[in-house]
Amino acid sequence: MSKHSRTHSELPEFVAADGPMDGCCHETFRLFARENLAGNTFDIEKLKQVLDAKQQGYQKTTNVINY
């Protein structure tokens, strides 16, 4: 999953060093978790990518809230 495949509701620039927020909800993680918990599919490589928010354009993994 690259920064181009994140959802439209995710805006890493909002939680950048000079951004107005410290963190935001990580919608991509929620969608991935729902799909995998429902038993439809499981891809360990996608899991690794979705857990590393830096791969989706965030400066730090602490900028996201995985819910």
Side-chain angles (χ1 to χ4, degrees):
M1 192 171 295
S2 70
K3 63 183 174 181
H4 300 292
S5 64
R6 67 180 186 247
T7 67
H8 294 290
S9 62
E10 291 185 55
L11 300 169
E13 57 272 19
F14 282 14
V15 293
D18 58 347
M21 298 170 29
D22 293 330
C24 65
C25 292
H26 195 196
E27 181 76 4
T28 302
F29 177 81
R30 183 186 67 80
L31 295 172
F32 175 84
R34 177 186 284 171
E35 181 178 310
N36 284 270
L37 290 174
N40 298 332
T41 184
F42 184 76
D43 183 337
I44 192 69
E45 292 305 314
K46 277 188 176 180
L47 174 61
K48 291 176 187 176
Q49 290 175 347
V50 79
L51 287 173
D52 183 4
K54 290 180 186 179
Q55 292 187 34
Q56 296 168 23
Y58 293 93
Q59 290 181 349
K60 300 183 256 179
T61 57
T62 56
N63 291 132
V64 298
I65 301 163
N66 290 327
Y67 69 101

